[in-house]
Each structure stands twice: as C-alpha cells, then as structure tokens.
Amino acid sequence: MKLFSLRLTTLKSKLYAIVFASFVVRVVAFFALPNTASNLAPDEGQYAYLVEWVSQGKPVSEYPLFGPNLYYSARSIIWPSTLFYHLGFDSLDSIRIVASIYGLLITMLIAMTINKVCDKSVHVKSFCMKNQHMLVILLFALTFTPSHFTWSVLGLRESAVEFWTILIFTVIFFLFYLKVNISPPIAILYLFSIVMLYSSRPQVGIVLSTVLILYIFLQIKSRNAQILIPITIIAVFLGSLLCSTPSTPSTPSTPSTPSTPSTPQDINPINRILSQAENLFYHHQANQVEAGSAIATAICPFAKSFSEGGLACLVWRTPYSVSTFLFRPVLGSDITSRSSLFAGIENIIWLGALLFILVMLIRNRRLAFFGALAPSLLFFSIYSFAAGAYEGNMGTAFRHKSLILWVILLLIASTIVATQQRKAEQDGLSGFSQE
C-alpha cells in the first residue's frame, strides 16, 4: 500500500511527478488518436508516408511528394521512426511515438536542469524552495499547454525542433552562466545538438546559428567562448551539409511545398543565412497559396523604390508581421473553424502573458537573471522577426509559435522574481527609514 501513499513533499518529487504525468497522458493519447492523419495536422500523413518509403529501402530522390527535401530536413524524426516501423508499428504510429518521446524528453530535460541548478548551493536551494510553486506551475504549463502538447503527440517535428533547441540553450546556460568548464563530452553534446537541429528544421538551425555566433562573440573574453567558436563553426557546417539536398534532377514544386532550396544547396552558413533572409518574402507568398487562413501581405510604401521583398519592406512590415505571428488568429473575423476558435482562445492567454511581462518590466525596470536570459531573448527576437516574415498562413504560424513558449515562461518567471526583489528592497528601505 505504500506505493499508493506517495507524498510530493520536495521540489524534485513534484517536478518528476509532472514528468510521470506527461508519460501517462502521452500513452493514453497515443491509443486515443485516430488511425488516420489528424485534421489538426494533416502534415503528419506526409511524414508517415516518408517513414514507410525510407523503411522499405526506396530511393529518397524518388520520393513523390516533395522530392528528397523533406527527408534531408527532418531526419532527426524520420530515422528513429524507421526503427519503430521495423519493430512492427505502422508508419503513422511510428512517427507519433518518436514525436511524443521528444516531447517527454523536453519535460525531463527541464526538470533535471532545475534540480541541478537548485542543488548548486545553499543560497540557490533556499531560493528554489521559496519559489517551488512557480517552478512547478511553469513546468506544468510548458508540458500541458493544449496546443503545445497536441503538436508533441501528433506525427510532427515540432517537439524534435524544440528539444534540440532547448538542449543547446541548456549547454550555453551551464557554460556561461554557471561557469562550468567545457569538457569533451559537453563539446560533443553541443556539436551533436546543433547538427540534429539542422536535421529537424534547417530554418530554425540557421536562426539559432545566428544567435549563437552573436552571443559567443560577445563573450569572447571567456575561455569557454574561445573554445566554443571553432566548435560552433564546425557544427554549423556539418548541419548545413547534412540537411543539404544532393545534386539531383530538379523536381517540380507544388504550392504547398514548405521549402524549395536550390539543388545542390550552398553549405556555407553565412551564404545560407543571407539566402534565407532574401527568400523570406518568397516563402511568405508561397505559404499563402491555397491556405484557408492566409495572412494578408501588408502594403509597403517603399516597394516602388526597393524590392517588394527587400530589407526595407521587411523592416516596415515587422510590427504587423510579428504581432500577427504572436497573436493571431484572434476571436472574430479570423475564426473560420473549430480549431481556429481554440487557437483564438489560447492566443488571449498569449496576449495576456506578454502584456503581464511588459507591465512588470516597466514597473520593475529590470529582469531578474538577465545574463542567463540574454541568449534566449536574442533567439526570441530574431525568431519572431524571421517567422513573422516567413509565415503565410495563421495555421502554420500558430504551430511554429509553440517553439518559443518556453522563452515566454522564462520571462514570466523572471518578472515574478524581479517583483519579489523590488518589494524586498522597498521593505528594507522602509525598515531603515523607521530606524
């Protein structure tokens, strides 16, 4: 009977209870999902078909839907899915199992990181005990936010992209904020994570590469930064090489093709960053085609003097494109289906969270742990700008937005702690004045 009298009295036990709950709910969701591609994410049917195609040994270059591009940009989820396929699962179940495992690993990684940090010193442990409810609630929110959880149990690559992204930032956090000396295992893990991110979604790999290069050069005086620079460059080259489509006869593109890079692709990371920036407007237009929730292109007054998709017009459209990416669909004219209604309701929470962060930032005039948050904030800014310019329909944009949910939750935690610090300082000054 002791098995059923488990008491969650410590922060560690509460965090791992969320991990266990995530596992149980994922198992239930796996058996509850239909045996066909979900209407919420019809793309999972494409991934499932690709898993079956690869598992049967057919040439990737002859894959009929999008040619080899999809395979080379999603191998981090296709490869492990083929293992489950060979174990006897069908292709759709295989891709869903791998996606859900990635989602579970995200919760485990964050729980382990919190426990590791909280055991660092007596002072930090005291802080964690005072704020354990906040930490538990935020991990619960990341794990079970409806849309975020849904994307991680369907056969999509969202959870794979998020896992490798968070793992990279976790390594950066330990190296630069906790001052852990870089070692061969850490260096290998860091390099491998970047390569796997490129093999999950190359566009996010390019954004994160930009962030890493900028941040590491800002920390150039650090020994860890000096060691990390060549490792990062090697990782980016390897990632670019592995997700590049080999030279093959060109395949006809379709309006729904998510990305149509040149064949063969340029593996130079600088050239790829510039190329992706130049093609943002092209992808935005391509993603509008046949989309039921197409995002209208804002009129650019500089279009006559400059290119419609040039930098001037991208910057001009930034307020509209970023706000659309973050907050739409909104209740009203954007609602065209039941799924868009749920998205609109959830976006109210997104808007409330960001308004809360903004108000508390103005009130406190600071963010707690800003040094630790700096790389994440840089990623949030660049990703929001790039995704806002790239997305052409609200359905895909809403799904891709789940990648930055963890940054929003970190900002909420930071503003709460900053408020506690400000109140403590005011109480201290008040006590001093009374004396």
Side-chain angles (χ1 to χ4, degrees):
M1 295 298 295
K2 290 184 178 180
L3 179 64
F4 299 97
S5 62
L6 178 65
R7 298 180 63 185
L8 305 178
T9 57
T10 64
L11 174 61
K12 183 177 182 178
S13 64
K14 293 175 183 177
L15 294 176
Y16 282 106
I18 296 176
V19 175
F20 179 71
S22 176
F23 170 77
V24 172
V25 177
R26 289 177 187 282
V27 172
V28 173
F30 173 77
F31 289 103
L33 287 171
N35 295 325
T36 57
S38 171
N39 292 330
L40 292 174
D43 289 353
E44 69 170 350
Q46 300 170 9
Y47 294 115
Y49 185 31
L50 179 56
V51 169
E52 184 176 350
W53 184 275
V54 173
S55 299
Q56 293 176 355
K58 297 179 181 179
V60 176
S61 59
E62 298 177 8
Y63 182 61
L65 295 182
F66 300 118
N69 290 335
L70 183 61
Y71 169 76
Y72 286 103
S73 64
R75 282 186 289 191
S76 68
I77 193 168
I78 299 299
W79 279 351
S81 297
T82 61
L83 297 178
F84 286 97
Y85 184 86
H86 288 303
L87 288 174
F89 294 92
D90 66 38
S91 58
L92 184 58
D93 285 343
S94 297
I95 201 79
R96 286 174 174 173
I97 290 172
V98 173
S100 199
I101 289 174
Y102 269 119
L104 180 63
L105 288 175
I106 292 170
T107 304
M108 291 179 62
L109 173 62
I110 296 176
M112 292 170 60
T113 301
I114 292 174
N115 283 319
K116 184 72 173 178
V117 172
C118 289
D119 287 337
K120 183 174 175 57
S121 66
V122 175
H123 176 72
V124 176
K125 184 175 293 186
S126 175
F127 168 83
C128 291
M129 289 301 298
K130 292 178 181 178
N131 293 276
Q132 64 171 299
H133 294 303
M134 176 188 70
L135 296 173
V136 171
I137 290 172
L138 292 178
L139 180 60
F140 183 89
L142 178 67
T143 304
F144 293 111
T145 294
S147 65
H148 185 266
F149 181 80
T150 300
W151 309 140
S152 70
V153 295
L154 295 178
L156 301 168
R157 47 179 164 171
E158 313 311 314
S159 56
V161 175
E162 184 174 2
F163 172 75
W164 296 114
T165 299
I166 293 178
L167 182 56
I168 292 167
F169 278 110
T170 301
V171 173
I172 292 295
F173 172 75
F174 275 91
L175 291 180
F176 291 100
Y177 191 72
L178 297 185
K179 308 298 182 183
V180 174
N181 291 327
I182 193 168
S183 62
I186 292 176
I188 293 172
L189 176 64
Y190 175 77
L191 186 149
F192 181 73
S193 300
I194 294 175
V195 172
M196 292 302 290
L197 179 59
Y198 269 88
S199 295
S200 302
R201 180 167 283 130
Q203 295 90 340
V204 177
I206 291 171
V207 170
L208 188 52
S209 298
T210 305
V211 172
L212 292 174
I213 291 170
L214 289 174
Y215 181 75
I216 293 173
F217 271 100
L218 289 175
Q219 305 292 325
I220 195 62
K221 293 182 179 180
S222 165
R223 177 179 176 274
N224 281 343
Q226 295 167 6
I227 297 175
L228 222 54
I229 287 175
I231 297 175
T232 303
I233 294 173
I234 294 171
V236 171
F237 268 105
L238 285 176
S240 299
L241 178 63
L242 290 176
C243 75
S244 298
T245 307
S247 180
T248 57
S250 58
T251 55
S253 61
T254 61
S256 60
T257 300
S259 177
T260 53
S262 59
T263 308
Q265 298 176 27
D266 190 343
I267 65 171
N268 186 310
I270 302 300
N271 290 342
R272 294 203 67 180
I273 291 171
L274 295 176
S275 175
Q276 287 291 327
E278 292 173 357
N279 290 331
L280 283 175
F281 185 70
Y282 159 76
H283 290 296
H284 169 75
Q285 290 182 312
N287 292 332
Q288 291 174 326
V289 177
E290 298 181 1
S293 57
I295 299 172
T297 304
I299 297 174
C300 174
F302 310 117
K304 294 182 180 179
S305 302
F306 300 95
S307 168
E308 179 76 16
L311 181 60
C313 287
L314 285 178
V315 173
W316 173 264
R317 295 190 184 104
T318 294
Y320 169 78
S321 62
V322 172
S323 61
T324 297
F325 172 66
L326 293 176
F327 305 124
R328 293 181 68 183
V330 296
L331 298 180
S333 59
D334 286 347
I335 306 304
T336 58
S337 63
R338 182 178 298 178
S339 58
S340 62
L341 173 61
F342 287 128
I345 293 173
E346 188 171 306
N347 275 338
I348 295 176
I349 301 174
W350 274 79
L351 178 60
L354 286 171
L355 285 176
F356 171 79
I357 293 168
L358 180 61
V359 170
M360 299 310 293
L361 178 60
I362 295 174
R363 187 176 180 184
N364 297 323
R365 298 181 182 179
R366 62 182 167 187
L367 284 172
F369 317 119
F370 179 77
L373 287 174
S376 305
L377 292 177
L378 188 59
F379 174 74
F380 176 86
S381 302
I382 296 178
Y383 181 79
S384 297
F385 168 78
Y390 177 92
E391 304 294 354
N393 67 83
M394 284 179 272
T396 305
F398 183 74
R399 193 173 80 219
H400 291 172
K401 184 176 65 177
S402 65
L403 178 59
I404 54 175
L405 175 61
W406 64 278
V407 184
I408 299 295
L409 296 176
L410 281 179
L411 284 170
I412 291 175
S414 176
T415 54
I416 291 174
V417 174
T419 301
Q420 295 174 350
Q421 293 173 343
R422 180 176 58 83
K423 289 182 178 179
E425 291 172 0
Q426 290 177 344
D427 292 342
L429 291 173
S430 176
F432 180 78
S433 62
Q434 290 176 1
E435 293 178 0

